[in-house]
Amino acid sequence: FDYVLVAKISDDENSHLVRKQKAFIETLKKKLNIHVSEDDDDNKVFYCIRAPEKIFETYRYLLKVSDACNWSCEQQGTIPQSTRIRIVDFILHHTHIDSEEEYLPDLMKKNVFETHFCLHEKREQKELKQSWARWSACFRGQPITNVRNYLGENVALYFLWLGWYTFLLIPASVIGLVVFLYGLAFYMFDVKDIFEVCQSNVIMCPLCDNTCRVWELSDTCMYAKVLYFYSFYSTVFLEFWKCHRSSYVSAWKVFDWCEEEEELILEIVNNAHCEPKMHRHSYLRSTIVLVLVTLMLLVIIGLTHVLVVSRVIATVLLAENSTWQVITENSQTVAVMLGAVLHYITITVMTRVKAHKPPTNKHSHAAVERSFTVKMFIFQFFTMFSSLIYTAFFLGRINGHPGGYVRISGKWRLEECHPSGCLTDLFIQMSIIMVLKQTFNNIFEYSGPWFSRWLKRKKAQKFRRRCVKCFKKEAMNTKEGSELCENCKLEDLHRNYSLIKTDRFSLFNEFLEMVIQFSFTTIFVAAFPLAPLLALLNNIIEIRLDAIKMVSLERRLVPMKANDIGVWTDVLEAIGVLAVIANGLVIGISSDFIPRLVYQYFYGPCASGSATGIDCMVGYINNTLSIANVSDERVREDFTSSQMVTYSGINVTHCSYRDYRSNEDFSLTNQYWVILAARLVFIILFEHVVVIFKCVASWFVPTSPLDVTNERLYDKLRRLKEELRSFKEHNRTL
């Protein structure tokens, strides 16, 4: 069978639901062949559907004469089962009861039907299990063509993209690991800036109220050694992907395939008298959607504020009430880690929000998928990155200064950056979120469907026993091509019914997870160069996990034709642009790259250009610090007398803080404005240079390899010659 509809058996034959069920089935019988299998023990009826051959003859002819002509395997020989399933699925979702405009999704909402699914083909399923959908095949190649034949081009292109993305993570992971190890290597070498920090006697201002004391700059010696790494991840991935994809879609004969043409053909196959779906645009509806999206983003920004406030309060509580001295002394770092865990929990909760998936029977599936994908990606993207954006670009820059700190409700002082700099906070937060997200997602993504299938299959064991008895009894008399007995049919139906339910948007969840991860490996990678390595390790598992799910744990996805990954290409392009902007801002604003250059050429010992034989960065650390005097009344209001005592018991009369301000009136110095101007110039230049590089890469890497282009040209020429030969033979017979 091509497809199965499932409904519950009702004792009341005259009920409203039963009448609708019978009416829909009668309407389907005018188009399709239906076999009914009833399971009295489980109170279910299975409507097994198979399309007659005349439907596929019509489909084959319309495909041949359409504008997007693709002489693929559907036009020669037997129609593949994946194509049969796709056509039957379209007919089911576009058939309605004659007396009412109620389609299958509407009937399922009213419990007229329980569910619907297509059957796994045992032989092909077994082959994919042995060669691909198993843990022992983690380091093998993917049989993409076999996946396409069984699950359709849409799923095959997802795994092709995921495999290519994983492959290109290898060089990015190597670069990130080298940068990380380069940073760790500073533990064993004396770098002048680090030596200046480690040997400094500068007293720094308290990082929080009440319990935090002044501290010595040399306390950050260890962190200073770790700070020396950042990475730049080139975004030429998409151009190579387009080239890689074209080789496969050309071999599958879907290079010129058009989804709009396909839907028109299926509409005619379903109803020869159908009318085209007119494209409409409503400014009112677009305005409402824009307002709702804006409100949702405001909710996410509100959640970010909650996370910030919770970290501020956690810092105070840990500093004042913790019984462990190590937590008291590092309350800010612990608060950042707790905030990262809370952010992960927020992400997990928000990603479980089930958006309304609009029906596709009255609209183009491609248009519905595009709209749904863009809206859901924006929602998930801001949920993931809102707190990281605050940490990267606002943390430590809006909290004020001694004598003028910004406070929440006039009580809690806004948090400072980590003593070694704001990039450390971003590194901690990204590492915790990424590790937790990948670990728990994979655990629940596999264990949930596996356990659910195990529970359902225990109920179906009785059919398996009956089928075994039936097979032993009739095996000797069975002829080739004969149908299965009713027990065996029910066993096969229950085996597929017990699997996890899928729908047209099931693949969307897999794409969304990987695209969000792609965002993580490109945006802010300058602050977290290990992100590509973590993504690589995760994807090696993810490929097999998704394969096992789709082949063994979930109902068979309806095979959908495609020649690209659709709107996700545009999403990835947008992420590439955002990555350029974000990494430029991280390097230009969050890191010390620009202040170091400004000091070296304008304020350091080499500024005059005449100094020789000395390190140009000597004195840089002290140059970045401003001094707050305890004698200033405004400073005394922010710090208590107990806070101005070092851990060794020495009273201090002044302390330092990271900023470019006057020691008298806390006004911004000229150096601050010079650095700000240099940051803006760098960001503009950096982004323009990278954008130019992306454009050159896009031009340099062809969208299609030359052999694919030549093969398509030869194929078109051959088809035209065949058409001309057929035309001449037809005229000769006349």
Side-chain angles (χ1 to χ4, degrees), residues 603-659:
Y603 295 95
C606 300
S608 61
S610 58
T612 57
I614 62 171
D615 190 338
C616 294
M617 296 306 296
V618 170
Y620 167 71
I621 298 299
N622 286 334
N623 180 258
T624 62
L625 303 177
S626 298
I627 296 175
N629 293 301
V630 180
S631 58
D632 193 312
E633 185 177 348
R634 292 170 296 179
V635 176
R636 287 200 301 270
E637 290 177 358
D638 279 333
F639 302 135
T640 62
S641 57
S642 60
Q643 288 184 275
M644 305 307 291
V645 179
T646 65
Y647 287 100
S648 58
I650 301 173
N651 289 315
V652 298
T653 58
H654 64 275
C655 62
S656 300
Y657 60 98
R658 295 182 187 276
D659 209 344

Side-chain angles (χ1 to χ4, degrees), residues 573-628:
E573 290 278 7
I575 292 172
V577 174
L578 289 174
V580 172
I581 297 172
N583 284 293
L585 291 173
V586 167
I587 298 171
I589 294 179
S590 302
S591 73
D592 288 337
F593 179 68
I594 298 301
R596 287 169 58 84
L597 288 179
V598 171
Y599 177 80
Q600 181 176 351
Y601 293 106
F602 292 97
Y603 295 95
C606 300
S608 61
S610 58
T612 57
I614 62 171
D615 190 338
C616 294
M617 296 306 296
V618 170
Y620 167 71
I621 298 299
N622 286 334
N623 180 258
T624 62
L625 303 177
S626 298
I627 296 175

Side-chain angles (χ1 to χ4, degrees), residues 244-416:
H244 185 60
R245 169 199 66 88
S246 63
S247 302
Y248 282 85
V249 296
S250 177
W252 298 340
K253 306 299 181 185
V254 292
F255 196 99
D256 298 318
W257 174 83
C258 172
E259 184 162 9
E260 192 173 89
E261 287 282 333
E262 176 86 1
E263 290 192 0
L264 285 174
I265 291 171
L266 293 176
E267 284 280 5
I268 298 173
V269 169
N270 179 50
N271 179 12
H273 305 289
C274 66
E275 296 293 331
K277 297 173 182 176
M278 306 303 294
H279 293 278
R280 295 183 177 88
H281 178 74
S282 170
Y283 287 101
L284 176 61
R285 183 179 179 277
S286 299
T287 303
I288 293 174
V289 170
L290 182 61
V291 171
L292 292 176
V293 170
T294 304
L295 289 175
M296 204 66 212
L297 295 182
L298 290 176
V299 170
I300 295 172
I301 293 173
L303 289 175
T304 304
H305 281 78
V306 171
L307 289 173
V308 172
V309 173
S310 65
R311 285 190 346 199
V312 170
I313 297 175
T315 302
V316 175
L317 294 178
L318 290 170
E320 294 179 354
N321 302 319
S322 177
T323 56
W324 293 341
Q325 185 178 357
V326 65
I327 293 180
T328 302
E329 294 177 355
N330 299 279
S331 58
Q332 187 174 354
T333 303
V334 177
V336 169
M337 297 173 69
L338 291 176
V341 174
L342 184 60
H343 186 195
Y344 164 73
I345 295 172
T346 304
I347 293 169
T348 304
V349 172
M350 297 298 281
T351 51
R352 294 295 181 268
V353 174
K354 299 297 182 182
H356 172 66
K357 298 174 182 176
T360 58
N361 54 302
K362 298 180 182 179
H363 307 279
S364 166
H365 177 69
V368 170
E369 185 181 25
R370 277 195 299 271
S371 176
F372 181 77
T373 298
V374 170
K375 285 183 284 191
M376 284 301 296
F377 173 75
I378 292 174
F379 172 72
Q380 300 289 2
F381 179 85
F382 276 91
T383 302
M384 173 74 76
F385 286 95
S386 56
S387 181
L388 298 177
I389 291 172
Y390 167 79
T391 303
F393 306 125
F394 297 98
L395 178 64
R397 293 172 178 81
I398 59 174
N399 61 316
H401 55 82
Y405 283 119
V406 177
R407 298 179 181 274
I408 299 174
S409 301
K411 182 179 180 181
W412 294 297
R413 178 177 140 192
L414 276 184
E415 58 187 333
E416 300 264 6

Side-chain angles (χ1 to χ4, degrees), residues 1 61 96 144 176 190 225 275 339 373 405 465 576 668 694:
F1 302 107
Y61 175 77
H96 61 84
I144 295 296
D190 255 347
K225 294 178 179 178
E275 296 293 331
T373 298
Y405 283 119
R465 289 193 294 267
L668 295 170
K694 284 169 63 68

